[in-house]
Amino acid sequence: MKNFQYFAVAIVLLISTSIQAQINKSEIIATGLTCSMCSNAIYKQLQTLSSVAEIDTDLNTNTFTVTAKNNQTLDPVQLKDAVEKAGFFVGSMMVYVDGSKLSKQELTLNGNNLVLLDKVPATHKDYKMQVVDAGFVTSKQLKKNEKAFSSIMDFSNSKDKKIFLKSAK
């Protein structure tokens, strides 16, 4: 009987990890930066995240390309919080989702539900998607997103802990 219980627990763990989102890389465009010291503040905050392996910075576009450590995943909420802790805002965030690990349109990541507005082809290893929620886009873009996706989602429901992703062009 104990062997069956261990087997059942192992199966549950295997299934639950197979539907976890796998975000390998993220491109963050920060707003409000005026100098290289601003960029450095964001860099240092992103560096404190345990899942981050590498950060590349482009000062011309205020873009931070964050790469995850092997076998770890990046959390868009943690990345956004790190940028905000440095005193700035996210103007745009792209994430690269491992399509080969996706089996559903709604996945979990650190207590948040990632809702994919587009079907991710399973053949794509690094499928580029944009986070379209408040806090991840500019207010102008948020209004466009609210209009475009009004039949699908409700941005105003902050209790929901959902993060919506659409395919990036």
Side-chain angles (χ1 to χ4, degrees), residues 24-128:
N24 306 320
K25 184 168 79 169
S26 178
E27 293 173 0
I28 304 163
I29 298 177
T31 61
L33 282 74
T34 58
C35 65
S36 61
M37 294 302 289
C38 298
S39 174
N40 191 40
I42 293 173
Y43 182 90
K44 285 181 179 180
Q45 285 299 320
L46 291 170
Q47 212 172 23
T48 65
L49 301 175
S50 62
S51 59
V52 173
E54 182 180 346
I55 305 164
D56 292 319
T57 307
D58 182 347
L59 294 175
N60 294 325
T61 60
N62 296 331
T63 301
F64 299 84
T65 303
V66 182
T67 306
K69 290 180 181 173
N70 286 340
N71 299 321
Q72 293 198 22
T73 189
L74 298 172
D75 182 343
V77 174
Q78 288 180 347
L79 295 172
K80 179 181 80 72
D81 290 347
V83 171
E84 290 175 353
K85 190 173 182 181
F88 303 95
F89 299 99
V90 173
S92 171
M93 183 182 292
M94 301 292 177
V95 294
Y96 290 80
V97 179
D98 187 348
S100 66
K101 297 192 185 211
L102 299 181
S103 60
K104 304 176 15 169
Q105 287 298 107
E106 190 164 329
L107 310 152
T108 57
L109 177 65
N110 297 339
N112 294 303
N113 292 326
L114 299 181
V115 180
L116 309 179
L117 299 173
D118 306 309
K119 183 89 173 138
V120 176
T123 56
H124 284 74
K125 175 92 171 108
D126 291 321
Y127 193 73
K128 188 175 182 179

